[in-house]
């Protein structure tokens, strides 16, 4: 109904809107008489959130990985990422933009949804926590050729005689 004039589009204490895709204002008046003042009632359409990007993590050998997800809706309040152990699990294992896995000994895939204002993204997005196999301990043989794998520590290189 309009703010003034027009035909009634419903009666009773509740009203179900037709399918709408944008926030729409409806107007209500007291039943039993035509009131000169109608009360505006807002039917709000919230955007469906999405996972904009994710970042997996990797370890050499067993360890904890920190996985990250960015949602399309600004954080805070009822807007957040929710982490799951499978694409169909109903039990959340973490909430927030970062999830720290338990200690893993094998590569594991986790799943994340975005939630905002009662709306949820679908499908869940897979994020991988990679566990790389540790290289074998090198054997050094006197007088023979030996290849070494150097691991870089930021700004420091270790070279042993």
């Amino acid at each position: 109904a309009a703010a003034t004039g027009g035909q009634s589009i419903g009666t009773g204490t509740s009203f179900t809107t037709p399918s709408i895709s944008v926030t729409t204002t409806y107007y209500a008046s007291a039943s039993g008489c035509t009131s000169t003042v109608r009360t505006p009632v807002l039917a709000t359409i919230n955007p469906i959130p999405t996972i904009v990007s994710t970042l997996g993590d990797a370890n050499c050998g067993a360890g904890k990985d920190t996985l990250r997800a960015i949602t399309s809706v600004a954080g805070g309040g009822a807007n957040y990422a929710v982490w799951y152990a499978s694409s169909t699990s109903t039990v959340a294992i973490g909430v927030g933009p970062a999830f720290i896995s338990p200690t893993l000994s094998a590569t594991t895939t986790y799943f994340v949804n975005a939630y905002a204002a009662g709306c949820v993204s679908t499908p869940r997005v897979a994020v991988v926590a990679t566990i790389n196999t540790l290289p074998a301990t090198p054997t050094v043989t006197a007088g023979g050729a030996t290849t070494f794998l150097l691991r870089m520590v930021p700004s420091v290189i270790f070279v042993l005689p």
Side-chain angles (χ1 to χ4, degrees):
T4 60
Q7 295 292 320
S8 173
I9 58 172
T11 60
T13 58
S14 65
F15 172 72
T16 301
T17 70
S19 179
I20 57 176
S21 59
V22 297
T23 297
T24 303
T25 302
Y26 291 90
Y27 295 88
S29 62
S31 62
C33 63
T34 302
S35 136
T36 57
V37 177
R38 293 181 179 166
T39 302
V41 179
L42 196 61
T44 302
I45 302 299
N46 294 312
I48 296 174
T50 60
I51 297 292
V52 175
S53 67
T54 61
L55 180 63
D57 196 8
N59 275 320
C60 287
K64 295 180 179 186
D65 284 351
T66 300
L67 309 178
R68 300 185 187 285
I70 297 174
T71 65
S72 61
V73 181
N79 307 320
Y80 45 88
V82 179
W83 297 88
Y84 297 90
S86 76
S87 63
T88 58
S89 175
T90 58
V91 178
I93 58 173
V95 175
F99 169 70
I100 300 172
S101 74
T103 299
L104 302 172
S105 58
T107 295
T108 304
T109 301
Y110 291 95
F111 296 84
V112 63
N113 276 109
Y115 283 82
C119 300
V120 61
S121 64
T122 59
R124 290 180 183 164
V125 175
V127 186
V128 179
T130 303
I131 302 299
N132 295 309
T133 304
L134 289 172
T137 302
T139 302
V140 178
T141 306
T146 304
T147 302
F148 292 93
L149 173 65
L150 294 177
R151 180 166 179 148
M152 299 283 293
V153 176
S155 303
V156 178
I157 300 176
F158 295 100
V159 179
L160 302 174

